[in-house]
């Protein structure tokens, strides 16, 4: 029904598979016919070259796979492809390997087009029988490299079996010599078929096809059918599905029997059907754990059942329209679309004669509907439909009743799924009479919302998808008059499934079924409008379905109430927390479509559900109460009515009691406590935003206690939900303070202000990182009136959290949240140059805030989680952007030139470092300050040059996450003296890093810049001085010095400083040598030592004392405590001597060092 057209995230692009997916169903012809012809013509040429042979085979496979969805496009080309390959096969001079290769190509074509279509093209004259048989003499059934050859030969032989001549005419004289006789063709074919029915490869499937074509021939049937069936039944009886050999033998035998009873004449097969059924019952195949065996068992059972019943078209079946297109068009032209009622014709006695075995067959098929595997259930459903078409009306109705009994909540989801498939088959064939529609529609509506919880997840997706298929089939099977009584229920349930189902496949299936009903029934309310909003692609996004599409559809009165009821009944208590949250938000939107119904009927149900013993129900109900309250109060405020006008006093009291009831029952504790804390925080936020008249009520103190207790005990909450709980508590605190902690408009409650701020500042010194995080954000969420008079104290407390000390070095998240709080407070209190330092940001406090934020840009703390300082640096950059833009907008005179220069330089450094995400964020912040939407930021160094190097268009056109695009842009800043130091500091870390793409593109960009200044001694000298200054400032700082040594090695090897080699004892070289010596002195870091050795080797090119001192250092390193020898290549600590000696030996032998 529904299918997903999206490739997996992270899949490689540009490969052959992507081409296949991209083409989809848009191909119009076999566009690669010329290439395919060329590939087939090269078989002889590539036979001796294995690589070329495999390349040709793989390319042909890729071409064919593109047509898996549209194989009919190959039909005009099948004949010439077949002829080219069979010419090779039938050529007696062709090597054996070439014949096998040709058959591999034939199999690829067969796999795509299907063997039934391809079979007709095989030569099937009388003269072809013997050559095909002769080819089997050289085949080894156990050769797994050439199974394609045997598969295609068996299919070819099955076609030659259709010749209209008795095989005995082809035998001639079977007596070759006195006392000797050769095997007849009939026996040879049967021997081949029986042999390959027991192999483990795909040739077994082709052997079953061969048996069905061969044994059902009139001449063979008389002589061999009974013996073959007897042998097959013996095989089934002796084989066990507990062993691999038994499974293989039973698989081949069951396939052959099913094909025989499918293609054979009824009068030929009927004498053996009862015996085969009895043997099959004794095999106990339904107890096997092999899915294929159970499927084949069901398939054989239904074929046996069809053999027992005479083939006929049920005269009692329901028919829609006529088989003739002309007759249908004539009916439309005459406007006579009357209902084609089933013809009530009494069945004759002969028609009513149903063998006893049919009951057993139906029973086994009904059991197959409940199988655990879909392919077995699907086969059983088709069998039910085929059998019912040959049964009398009363018996067929009994079958329908038995299928409906599967829709019991005592049955498994597999039984529901199988029953849905069976009903779809019965309806599609016209075997579900309109008199049964009331019962059928009732269970299908249940199946459309079927979901059963199993542990931490649920089952039922396949049931809902199959129920959509039933609705799709009914749309095609019945006249609109028949379905008219059920249109309202079906349309509402399909809309609910298309919008609110958790599975994207089910949403798309429901959308397709709704579309089919709109097109064929024409009576679905607002069908075109709904279908336009909820088409196949629109329902692919779950959030869009819940929050946007549902709101649009709820605008039609026919769907509003059923959608609300479904959310309250089925989705608010869903096991998936995301669904519960989306359902609550959807109720927020839908409540405005039916406010009276929501207030009168929905709220009482939700309030009762908040006390449910089930955690999911309780959690979802609290969230729903919060959202519906906010929605109804907002609607009342828009209409100028009191906020509680729609809710009523009883509802308001119920909302107030939720917290106390949960507290009294101790439901804030334990594993479910974190969910309830989060939900009640959302409730507090929404009730506060709804301006509920609760000022001075005792419940406010209870809410505040819950928020503070949650923030204080965040470390006890599981890590996966800690962030969400923290955010909910902070948002609740902000809304609560704004609404209920104001004594009068513009005046805060002094008692509440002092208690809160003092309490939160004390909590910033907690030994728990999570507690610091929570209360930092809590301070940042307080309104300006509560911060009045305490601003400097609050900023100082948050600034202390951002400082790195040995005790709390790993508290990176606390530092990050403190920075967020500082930025939030700055936005809240605002800026005023002459304002009081304890009330607003003023001239005295701006520089302090900038000092804290800039200091956090140097946080490179690492622990077991990696570079956790990156979180702090990212938050610092965001805060710097917000504060700087705030100053530029309100008080630009407070922006000092040296502060702006430091900010821009630090951002440039971060934009040139190695972490993609951080580099992209820094570049975006840098460009936001350079090209603000509001007033320009004053004192930006080199503004004109920056606007030329980094125009506004770079904000959208450059992917700063991609090193290939970011580094060419950022290295342009090396030409600006103000930015050179910081950009070079960041580039040194990137060039000497570990990530291949980052190293490659940063190195390329740096070398490109160096190439441009090679002929400018002043620029090169300035660059060298800056590089040495970076080295000197970061001596013994391994985060910078080790990658810087690697960067210097690459620059020396690339000839970036060849100009300095023309001057003896150049200051750059002397200073670089001194810094390198100081860096590696007494170091036991192998990576640093090896990088230092590499730099020394590169410095041998510089003449004078530099070369002598460098060689001395290399000779000293030969005596380093870390030895290395050819006997110890596996120890990374034993590489220093080799690093020093081998380059020295190499340079001596290449005569680099003059005598």
């Amino acid at each position: 029904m529904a299918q997903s057209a999206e490739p997996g995230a992270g899949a490689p692009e540009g490969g052959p598979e992507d081409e296949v997916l991209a083409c989809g169903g848009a191909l119009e012809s076999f566009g690669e016919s010329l290439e395919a012809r060329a590939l087939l013509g090269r078989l002889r040429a590539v036979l001796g070259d294995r690589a070329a042979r495999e390349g040709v085979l793989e390319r042909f496979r890729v071409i064919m796979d593109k047509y898996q969805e549209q194989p009919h496009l190959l039909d005009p080309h099948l004949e010439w492809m077949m002829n080219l390959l069979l010419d090779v096969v039938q050529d007696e001079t062709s090597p054996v390997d070439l014949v096998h290769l040709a058959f591999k190509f034939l199999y690829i074509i067969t796999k795509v087009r299907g063997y039934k279509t391809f079979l007709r093209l095989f030569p099937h004259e009388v003269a072809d029988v013997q050559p095909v048989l002769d080819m089997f003499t050289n085949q080894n059934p156990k050769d797994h490299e050439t199974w394609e050859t045997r598969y295609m030969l068996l299919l070819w032989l099955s076609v030659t079996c259709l010749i209209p001549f008795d095989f005995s005419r082809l035998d001639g004289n079977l007596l070759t010599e006195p006392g000797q006789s050769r095997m007849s063709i009939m026996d040879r074919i049967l021997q081949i078929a029986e042999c390959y029915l027991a192999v483990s490869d795909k040739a077994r499937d082709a052997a079953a096809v061969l048996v069905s074509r061969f044994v059902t021939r009139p001449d063979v049937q008389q002589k061999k059918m009974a013996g073959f069936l007897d042998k097959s039944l013996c095989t089934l009886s002796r084989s066990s599905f507990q062993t691999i050999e038994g499974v293989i033998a039973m698989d081949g035998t069951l396939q052959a029997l099913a094909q025989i009873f499918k293609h054979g004449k009824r009068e030929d097969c009927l004498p053996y059907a009862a015996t085969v059924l009895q043997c099959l019952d004794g095999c106990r195949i339904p107890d096997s754990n092999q899915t294929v065996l159970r499927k084949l068992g069901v398939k054989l059972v239904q074929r046996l059942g069809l053999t027992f019943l005479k083939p006929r078209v049920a005269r009692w079946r329901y028919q829609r329209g006529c088989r003739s297109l002309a007759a249908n068009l004539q009916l439309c032209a005459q406007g006579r679309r009357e209902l084609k009622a089933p013809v009530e014709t009494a069945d004759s006695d002969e028609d009513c004669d149903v063998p006893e075995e049919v009951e057993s067959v139906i029973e086994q098929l009904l059991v197959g509907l409940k199988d655990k595997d879909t392919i077995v259930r699907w086969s059983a459903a088709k069998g039910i439909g085929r059998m019912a078409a040959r049964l009398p009306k009363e018996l067929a109705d009994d079958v329908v009743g038995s299928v409906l009994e599967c829709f019991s909540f005592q049955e498994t989801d597999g039984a529901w799924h199988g029953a849905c498939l069976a009903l779809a088959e019965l309806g599609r064939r016209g075997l579900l009479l309109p008199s049964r529609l009331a019962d059928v529609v009732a269970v299908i509506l249940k199946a459309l919302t079927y979901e059963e919880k199993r542990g931490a997840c649920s089952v039922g997706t396949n049931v809902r998808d199959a129920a959509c298929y039933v609705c799709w089939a009914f749309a095609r099977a019945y006249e609109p008059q028949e379905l008219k009584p059920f249109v309202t229920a079906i349309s509402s349930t399909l809309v609910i499934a298309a919008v609110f189902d958790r599975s994207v496949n089910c949403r798309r299936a429901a959308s397709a079924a709704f579309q089919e009903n709109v097109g064929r029934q024409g009576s679905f309310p607002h069908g075109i409008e709904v279908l336009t909003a909820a088409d196949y692609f629109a329902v692919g996004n779950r959030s869009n379905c819940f929050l946007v599409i549902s709101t649009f559809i709820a605008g039609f009165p026919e769907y509003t109430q059923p959608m609300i009821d479904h959310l309250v009944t089925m989705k608010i208590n869903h096991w998936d927390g995301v669904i519960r949250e989306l359902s609550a938000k959807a109720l927020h939107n839908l409540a405005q479509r039916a406010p009276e119904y929501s207030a009168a009927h929905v709220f009482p149900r939700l309030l009762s559900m908040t006390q449910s013993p089930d955690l999911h129900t309780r959690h979802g109900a609290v969230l729903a109460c919060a959202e519906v309250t906010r929605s109804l109060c907002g609607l009342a405020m828009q209409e100028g009515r009191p906020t509680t006008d729609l809710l009523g006093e009883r509802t308001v009291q119920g909302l107030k009691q939720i917290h106390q009831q949960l507290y009294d029952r101790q439901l804030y504790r334990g594993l479910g406590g974190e969910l309830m804390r989060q939900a009640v925080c959302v409730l507090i936020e929404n009730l506060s935003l709804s301006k509920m008249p609760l000022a001075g009520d005792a419940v406010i103190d209870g809410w505040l206690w819950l928020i503070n207790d949650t923030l204080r005990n965040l470390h006890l909450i599981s890590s996966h939900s800690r962030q969400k709980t923290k955010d909910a508590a902070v948002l609740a605190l902000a809304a609560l303070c704004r609404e209920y902690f104001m004594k009068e408009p513009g005046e805060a409650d002094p008692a509440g202000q002092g208690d809160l701020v003092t309490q939160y500042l004390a909590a910033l010194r907690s030994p728990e990182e999570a507690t610091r995080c929570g209360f930092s954000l809590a301070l940042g969420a307080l309104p300006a009136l509560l911060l009045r008079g305490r601003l400097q104290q609050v900023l100082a407390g948050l600034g202390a959290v951002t400082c790195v000390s040995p005790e709390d070095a790993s508290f990176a998240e606390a530092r990050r949240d403190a920075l967020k709080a500082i930025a939030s407070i700055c936005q809240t209190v605002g800026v005023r140059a002459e304002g009081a330092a304890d009330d607003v940001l003023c001239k005295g406090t701006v520089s302090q805030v900038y000092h804290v934020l800039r200091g956090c840009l140097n946080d490179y703390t690492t622990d077991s989680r990696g570079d956790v300082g990156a979180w702090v640096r990212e938050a610092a950059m965001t805060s710097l952007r917000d504060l700087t833009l705030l100053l530029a907008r309100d008080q630009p005179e407070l922006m000092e030139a040296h502060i702006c220069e430091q900010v821009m330089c630090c951002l440039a450094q971060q934009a040139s470092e190695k972490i993609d995400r951080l580099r992209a964020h820094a570049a975006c912040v840098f460009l936001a300050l350079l090209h603000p939407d509001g007033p320009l930021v004053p004192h930006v160094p080199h503004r004109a040059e920056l606007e030329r190097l980094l125009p506004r268009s770079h904000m959208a056109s450059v992917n700063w996450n991609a090193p290939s695009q970011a580094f060419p842009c950022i290295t342009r800043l090396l030409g600006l003296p103000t930015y050179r130091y910081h950009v070079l500091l960041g580039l040194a870390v990137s060039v000497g890093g570990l990530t291949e793409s980052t190293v490659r593109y940063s190195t390329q960009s740096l070398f490109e810049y160096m190439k441009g200044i090679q002929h400018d001694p002043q620029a090169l000298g300035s660059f060298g001085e800056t590089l040495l200054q970076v080295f000197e400032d970061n001596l013994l700082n391994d985060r910078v010095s080790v990658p810087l040594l690697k960067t210097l090695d690459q620059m020396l090897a690339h000839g970036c400083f060849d100009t300095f080699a023309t001057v003896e004892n150049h200051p750059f070289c002397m200073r670089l040598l001194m810094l390198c010596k100081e860096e590696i002195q007494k170091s036991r870091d192998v990576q640093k030592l090896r990088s230092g050795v590499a730099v020394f080797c590169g410095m041998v090119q510089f003449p004078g004392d530099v070369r002598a001192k460098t060689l001395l250092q290399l000779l000293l390193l030969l005596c380093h405590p870390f030895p290395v020898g050819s006997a110890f290549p596996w120890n990374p600590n034993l590489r220093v001597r080799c690093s020093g000696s081998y380059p020295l030996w190499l340079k001596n032998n290449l005569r680099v060092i003059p005598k």
Side-chain angles (χ1 to χ4, degrees), residues 108-153:
I108 292 173
I109 302 171
T110 308
K111 180 190 70 172
V112 175
R113 188 60 187 101
Y115 77 89
K116 295 180 182 179
T117 302
F118 203 57
L119 276 181
R120 298 193 295 265
L121 301 177
F122 275 112
H124 49 277
E125 302 294 335
V126 175
D128 296 311
V129 177
Q130 191 64 44
V132 176
L133 281 174
D134 292 340
M135 290 185 192
F136 276 100
T137 58
N138 298 323
Q139 298 301 317
N140 179 10
K142 297 182 179 180
D143 184 3
H144 299 295
E145 296 293 328
T146 59
W147 62 267
E148 294 96 340
T149 302
R150 302 188 295 277
Y151 176 79
M152 297 308 302
L153 283 175

Side-chain angles (χ1 to χ4, degrees), residues 94 121 230 300 321 351 421 621 704 805 855 870 872 940 983 1028 1124 1136:
S94 297
L121 301 177
D230 185 60
L300 178 56
D351 292 338
L421 296 178
L704 185 60
S805 62
V872 183
V940 174
V983 173
L1028 293 176
V1124 70
V1136 177

Side-chain angles (χ1 to χ4, degrees), residues 405-413 415-416 450 452 454:
E405 290 176 359
C406 295
F407 292 98
S408 168
F409 286 100
Q410 297 176 351
E411 296 286 357
T412 64
D413 61 300
W416 280 67
Y450 177 88
E452 185 178 347
R454 295 276 180 85

Side-chain angles (χ1 to χ4, degrees), residues 911-917 919-920 950 954 957-972 987 990 995-1006 1008:
S912 59
E913 289 202 351
K914 59 184 180 180
I915 302 177
D916 292 345
R917 175 179 54 84
R919 182 175 62 247
L950 302 172
H954 278 20
S957 61
V958 176
N959 179 11
W960 293 98
N961 275 302
S964 59
Q965 299 184 40
F967 284 111
C969 294
I970 206 68
T971 50
R972 299 171 188 169
L987 277 177
S990 298
T995 307
E996 189 270 337
S997 60
T998 302
V999 172
R1000 183 202 317 165
Y1001 293 110
S1002 59
T1003 304
Q1004 289 178 0
S1005 302
L1006 178 60
E1008 192 67 27

Side-chain angles (χ1 to χ4, degrees), residues 29-75:
S29 63
F30 185 32
E32 293 86 354
S33 60
L34 294 178
E35 184 180 359
R37 188 184 294 270
L39 291 174
L40 296 180
R42 292 175 54 198
L43 296 188
R44 293 183 183 273
V46 302
L47 181 63
D49 187 348
R50 179 171 182 174
R53 183 172 71 247
E54 291 180 354
V56 169
L57 189 66
E58 181 61 25
R59 178 56 189 161
F60 189 75
R61 184 180 290 113
V62 169
I63 292 174
M64 289 293 109
D65 285 347
K66 290 174 62 176
Y67 297 90
Q68 290 276 13
E69 298 292 332
Q70 296 173 281
H72 61 277
L73 297 178
L74 300 176
D75 288 350

Side-chain angles (χ1 to χ4, degrees), residues 31 353 365 420 463 556 967 1102 1143:
D353 185 17
L365 292 177
C420 285
V463 178
F556 304 115
F967 284 111
F1102 300 126

Side-chain angles (χ1 to χ4, degrees), residues 219-268:
D219 54 338
V220 180
Q221 182 269 330
Q222 297 174 3
K223 301 178 182 179
K224 303 293 183 182
M225 188 173 188
F228 177 80
L229 291 178
D230 185 60
K231 187 179 295 186
S232 298
L233 297 182
C234 290
T235 301
L236 286 178
S237 301
R238 291 196 305 266
S239 301
S240 169
F241 50 73
Q242 304 289 344
T243 63
I244 296 177
E245 294 79 6
V247 170
I248 293 173
M250 294 181 75
D251 183 288
T253 304
L254 290 173
Q255 283 196 65
L257 291 175
Q259 293 276 12
I260 288 173
F261 282 93
K262 176 180 179 179
H263 295 292
K265 294 181 180 179
R266 179 175 180 267
E267 54 270 21
D268 295 338

